[in-house]
Amino acid sequence: MTTRPGQVIANADPGAILAARADEVRAAIARVVAGGCFVLGPEVEAFEREFGAWLGAPFCVAVGNGTDALEFALRATGIRPGDGVVAPANTASATIAAIVASGAQPILCDVDPATMCLSPERLTDLLASPRGASARAVVPVHLYGHPCAMAAIDAAVRARGLVLVEDCAQAHGAVAGGRPAGAWGQAAAFSFYPTKNLAALGDGGAVVTRDRDVAERVRGLRQYGWRERHVSADPGGRNSRLDEIQAAILRVRLRYLDAENRRRRALAERYFRALEGVRCPPRPEGADQAVFHQFTIRISNRDALVARLAEQQVVAQTLYPVPVHRQPAFHACAPAEAGALATCEQACAEVVNLPVHPALADGDVDWVATQVLAWVREGGPGREPR
Ligand SMILES: *Cc1c(COP(=O)(O)O)cnc(C)c1O
């Protein structure tokens, strides 16, 4: 067996990406230290302006993390305890945790077999069925940075007068049907967790919206439910603020985001060309653009491939290995009807996320692709799992 001399190829490498911007990041931190204001100050305001402008969103409200952003987006768009909120089952458990935190009931919907994102057809069927009768909102997740089929999803949501809130935690800069991911719904939630395409040195998140009232409500929710200072008006409020150091760092990182997304696309293109015969993600073009938060192939017997790659110093992940309705916290969301989430379940059993972050060299991706192909050609997918 040949091993590649040198470093482990990480699945995500926030430290390496940051190292390339170390001087600017240090200067941003020094500016905050000298300024003496540390939470919800001028850096946060500037970041909200700049990120909103970058997305073409009139309002942006920064919060403590992406889970809170999604919960607050649901509350601020009028979702009330007991309302149904539709989401896919093959997502970060954070998507469902946020729905539950808003007091709503998750209603899980199956996905498209090619994109692994919410299927407009399955959504339409679900909304017309008894299981979908209590739905008040729909949360499409632009999973792995792949844009959902938003025109069709939006039409299904509008036909029933529901609320649309996009989970954009993996999709900063993706384009769906000619519009930025995050520009379709009444509101959208972003995360700036250190491995996301736009990342802080800790936790962070934001809600973007075209609706001034929604933005004002989120501003209240992130700070004890205040509408005016020291007077709590909204009982759902708590503390979920972004701090000035994270905002200053995010402003630096935002300037490089388009270039880093282009780099992710170029690395994905290398995988597409190299991985002939392997089931790759769809290659969006034209009015759709992916930002390859992950490059997710589908493999039967995938645990054996992940183990083989680990031996070759390559860290592959299996996001997400367990569909949410099979997780103890969310058993109550499991649909009674067997097979209702069959495509989600199959996706969770087959996905392998190959390294695709912007700190990778072309040669890293070529090495990973060579290892995957070698394993496939040796008959790896057909072998019994160890
Ligand atoms: C990361 C993520 C979240 C949650 O964001 P946090 O900042 O970790 O709270 C929500 N949804 C998806 C799809 C994510 O990938």
Side-chain angles (χ1 to χ4, degrees):
M1 185 194 313
T2 49
T3 40
R4 180 173 183 264
Q7 302 289 308
V8 170
I9 301 180
N11 200 262
D13 199 345
I17 299 167
L18 206 71
R21 329 270 181 239
D23 291 344
E24 283 173 275
V25 167
R26 268 194 221 103
I29 294 171
R31 191 170 67 229
V32 174
V33 171
C37 172
F38 301 126
V39 171
L40 294 191
E43 296 289 339
V44 169
E45 278 171 30
F47 173 68
E48 289 177 340
R49 246 186 345 264
E50 288 162 11
F51 188 60
W54 180 79
L55 272 169
F59 302 100
C60 171
V61 184
V63 299
N65 58 70
T67 310
D68 286 353
L70 184 54
E71 178 199 334
F72 291 167
L74 289 168
R75 287 182 187 271
T77 52
I79 298 310
R80 293 286 159 262
D83 288 345
V85 174
V86 178
N90 57 329
T91 182
S93 49
T95 306
I96 309 303
I99 294 170
V100 170
S102 77
Q105 307 274 347
I107 304 174
L108 300 176
C109 182
D110 215 355
V111 295
D112 179 275
T115 66
M116 294 182 272
C117 291
L118 204 62
S119 154
E121 294 78 24
R122 301 304 298 271
L123 174 64
T124 304
D125 292 348
L126 174 65
L127 293 176
S129 75
R131 196 161 72 83
S134 67
R136 287 266 301 112
V138 175
V139 177
V141 180
H142 303 288
L143 194 69
Y144 311 136
H146 187 92
C148 294
M150 287 312 299
I153 290 171
D154 186 52
V157 167
R158 278 171 196 268
R160 297 203 164 246
L162 307 182
V163 169
L164 180 61
V165 173
E166 297 169 75
D167 183 339
C168 296
Q170 303 187 359
H172 319 67
V175 179
R179 284 193 218 173
W184 284 87
Q186 274 92 331
F190 286 84
S191 164
F192 308 122
Y193 182 76
T195 58
K196 310 290 185 182
N197 290 39
L198 177 61
L201 251 75
D203 279 311
V207 176
V208 301
T209 178
R210 271 173 273 121
D211 185 326
R212 182 183 301 275
D213 293 338
V214 169
E216 280 316 303
R217 261 176 250 149
V218 175
R219 273 183 218 288
L221 288 166
R222 74 177 168 181
Q223 182 146 255
Y224 322 128
W226 285 357
R227 205 158 298 154
E228 54 186 296
R229 220 170 150 68
H230 304 298
V231 184
S232 291
D234 191 333
R238 58 172 185 270
N239 173 1
S240 181
R241 298 177 294 221
L242 189 68
D243 69 67
E244 287 284 288
I245 287 185
Q246 297 306 341
I249 292 166
L250 285 165
R251 294 180 67 198
V252 172
R253 298 295 310 272
L254 181 59
R255 296 202 285 272
Y256 295 98
L257 181 53
D258 286 326
E260 288 179 6
N261 281 340
R262 277 196 297 277
R263 180 67 186 147
R264 287 174 185 270
R265 286 194 195 108
L267 293 172
E269 201 49 47
R270 285 189 97 77
Y271 277 130
F272 281 126
R273 282 201 299 266
L275 291 175
E276 210 181 303
V278 175
R279 191 163 174 205
C280 283
R283 208 183 200 145
E285 36 194 59
D288 285 331
Q289 284 286 318
V291 288
F292 295 98
H293 174 65
Q294 301 286 348
F295 190 93
T296 306
I297 60 171
R298 310 273 293 270
I299 296 270
S300 59
N301 193 16
R302 58 102 187 267
D303 292 340
L305 173 60
V306 171
R308 163 68 170 265
L309 290 174
E311 285 165 11
Q312 306 291 336
Q313 312 272 77
V314 175
V315 183
Q317 286 190 307
T318 57
L319 302 176
Y320 292 94
V322 183
V324 288
H325 57 291
R326 297 269 168 83
Q327 300 177 21
F330 306 124
H331 278 164
C333 307
E337 174 202 343
L341 299 170
T343 309
C344 287
E345 288 167 1
Q346 192 171 357
C348 288
E350 293 179 346
V351 288
V352 177
N353 316 99
L354 303 179
V356 74
H357 58 83
L360 290 175
D362 290 352
D364 295 328
V365 161
D366 296 348
W367 166 259
V368 175
T370 304
Q371 300 311 311
V372 173
L373 272 184
W375 181 82
V376 168
R377 289 184 179 152
E378 286 161 22
R383 251 180 260 141
E384 284 299 304
R386 274 188 273 180

